Amino acid sequence: MSQVTTETVIECLKTIKGPDLEGDIVSLGLVSPIMIDGGKVIFTITVPSDQTEKLEPMRLAAQKAVTELDGVTSATVIFTAERAGGSAPSSQRPTASATPPPSAQRNPAARQANNSAPVPGIKSIVAVASGKGGVGKSTTSVNLAIALAKLGQKVGILDADIYGPSMPRLMGITDQPTVNGKILTPLEGHGVKVMSMGFLVEEDTPMIWRGPMVISALTQMLREVAWGDLDVLVVDMPPGTGDAQLTMSQNVPLAGAVIVSTPQDIALIDARKGLNMFRKVDVPILGIIENMSTFICPKCGERSEIFGHGGARDEAEKVGVPFLGEIPLHMDIRKNSDGGTPIAASEPDGPHAAAYASIAQSVIDSLQGAGFEGVAPSITFE
Ligand code: ADP
């Protein structure tokens, strides 16, 4: 069998009509760069986010046409959608399939039931969430994951913040995952296995994923990845408590959720919404972390309470969930995580790593103590 080339695939895709049956998907600029791995071909087609269902025949036609090419063993085609006003994806990276099985597309209930089943090999899945963006949720996720690994746990991190995946940058990973059959091999950094949509699309690609696309992308990143045996999979959730987050928490068999908040009232109001969201879908709250708790001046070491202090602890007490600990606002935390060397890994003997370690220990204790390990919560539908 001869090796298929990008040119052959593109030529073939020129026979597939665009969404309005005008022009073809290649000339309309809808097709991403083509990834070829042996006989496997993977690419994306950009479509309006509200037309994915209607355009499913177009996706299938493209998939079929490419599969029939000489040298192709499988073709995986994924729909991506642009944010209104955004440009076509400039991604030069490969993109993997995020298409749920047809039965699941037709029957949301079937999809729900499938997706909330436990993931073989993974004992506990823990969501790290925040009511709003910018409170340090991703920074906390990576440092928590690394701290858990340092405590001897087998750990993975799934970057479910598909609107703004930051794990490649935070973990300092520039490679791309390899595809083995339909299964992606996760990358590894600082002793933690990592999967992120950011490995598959550029960080600044103006892309928005909606409804079924979000769920299918998430499902694939969770279930079609060779995680191996994990004690804990940390899921960095997208910020906020909207429909996407709610659906995601229903579609992942979560053992529990950790809420990250800054101390000031406004962030706490949002954190409360996060708490309520998880409660609504019967996901146990493992506790609240107060991030950016006190500011410690890197020059003189003086403490100041820029965003107040202790608000999250008070809130945790008020709503009856554990308070897991506080992380100061410190330049070294920002510099290290934004530089790809999270502080829990780069300064393992420092005070910040100790704070994350203590939080990680509390998470392990609550997972084990409360018997959450390996248990998929019952999901309620509204
Ligand atoms: P989110 O995921 O909630 O949007 P990020 O984790 O991306 O937030 O953090 C936002 C910014 O704040 C990043 O630049 C990060 O380095 C910084 N940051 C987060 N936590 C701390 C902290 N405790 N001290 C200093 N900077 C922090």
Side-chain angles (χ1 to χ4, degrees):
M1 198 156 59
S2 60
Q3 168 79 42
V4 68
T5 62
T6 306
E7 291 72 30
T8 321
V9 175
I10 290 175
E11 274 313 305
C12 162
L13 291 175
K14 284 184 185 166
T15 62
I16 308 294
K17 290 245 184 296
D20 301 319
L21 300 178
E22 274 173 23
D24 66 85
I25 57 174
V26 174
S27 318
L28 291 167
L30 305 180
V31 177
S32 73
I34 311 287
M35 185 174 88
I36 298 177
D37 179 14
K40 293 179 217 107
V41 178
I42 304 176
F43 58 92
T44 72
I45 305 174
T46 304
V47 294
S49 55
D50 55 353
Q51 289 187 28
T52 50
E53 247 171 71
K54 190 180 129 211
L55 295 173
E56 179 62 9
M58 180 181 93
R59 192 189 69 79
L60 291 174
Q63 190 159 285
K64 180 163 181 287
V66 174
T67 308
E68 284 169 0
L69 289 174
D70 198 22
V72 174
T73 52
S74 72
T76 313
V77 185
I78 173 182
F79 273 158
T80 60
E82 281 175 59
R83 206 190 297 271
S87 57
S90 61
S91 165
Q92 289 305 311
R93 295 179 176 219
T95 308
S97 157
T99 310
S103 61
Q105 284 176 335
R106 278 196 304 271
N107 182 349
R111 184 176 68 219
Q112 206 88 56
N114 282 342
N115 290 352
S116 58
V119 182
I122 304 183
K123 282 192 195 149
S124 305
I125 305 182
V126 173
V128 177
S130 62
K132 65 178 190 119
V135 300
K137 172 186 52 61
S138 299
T139 306
T140 307
S141 301
V142 275
N143 282 295
L144 174 63
I146 291 168
L148 285 164
K150 289 203 178 294
L151 290 172
Q153 301 281 297
K154 286 189 228 102
V155 186
I157 185 160
L158 167 56
D159 187 357
D161 193 348
I162 49 183
Y163 303 115
S166 52
M167 281 308 143
R169 181 169 45 85
L170 293 180
M171 293 295 271
I173 299 174
T174 49
D175 298 337
Q176 288 163 10
T178 48
V179 192
N180 184 2
K182 269 198 84 187
I183 304 295
L184 293 165
T185 307
L187 292 162
E188 200 159 336
H190 310 294
V192 172
K193 289 183 179 162
V194 192
M195 184 47 66
S196 166
M197 198 49 82
F199 294 139
L200 308 171
V201 293
E202 299 288 353
E203 198 174 358
D204 54 2
T205 298
M207 195 158 56
I208 191 156
W209 301 69
R210 287 232 183 96
M213 283 192 297
V214 171
I215 296 311
S216 57
L218 180 73
T219 304
Q220 189 191 19
M221 287 203 300
L222 179 66
R223 297 181 186 277
E224 293 181 21
V225 167
W227 291 111
D229 286 332
L230 292 183
D231 294 307
V232 187
L233 178 69
V234 174
V235 181
D236 183 17
M237 296 283 288
T241 50
D243 281 353
Q245 291 80 356
L246 185 70
T247 320
M248 282 170 104
S249 10
Q250 285 177 315
N251 277 270
V252 176
L254 293 172
V258 169
I259 310 281
V260 180
S261 177
T262 51
Q264 69 276 47
D265 271 345
I266 182 73
L268 286 171
I269 291 167
D270 289 311
R272 226 166 285 156
K273 283 192 209 149
L275 276 175
N276 290 335
M277 179 185 85
F278 285 113
R279 285 187 163 161
K280 209 163 157 184
V281 290
D282 282 348
V283 172
I285 306 291
L286 301 180
I288 301 183
I289 299 173
E290 182 168 290
N291 190 37
M292 309 191 184
S293 184
T294 15
F295 171 70
I296 304 171
C297 171
K299 291 209 179 93
C300 66
E302 194 185 87
R303 300 168 75 94
S304 346
E305 287 164 6
I306 294 184
F307 296 132
H309 176 241
R313 184 189 289 273
D314 295 346
E315 175 68 15
E317 221 167 83
K318 215 185 302 166
V319 295
V321 300
F323 180 69
L324 294 173
E326 49 194 54
I327 304 292
L329 175 67
H330 198 283
M331 188 101 89
D332 289 348
I333 297 181
R334 190 198 59 72
K335 262 199 304 214
N336 277 283
S337 62
D338 291 353
T341 54
I343 200 145
S346 58
E347 293 177 21
D349 301 323
H352 306 311
Y356 286 115
S358 146
I359 291 173
Q361 188 59 56
S362 304
V363 168
I364 295 173
D365 292 346
S366 23
L367 285 172
Q368 289 170 351
F372 292 148
E373 225 178 347
V375 177
S378 63
I379 307 289
T380 46
F381 299 100
E382 298 198 1

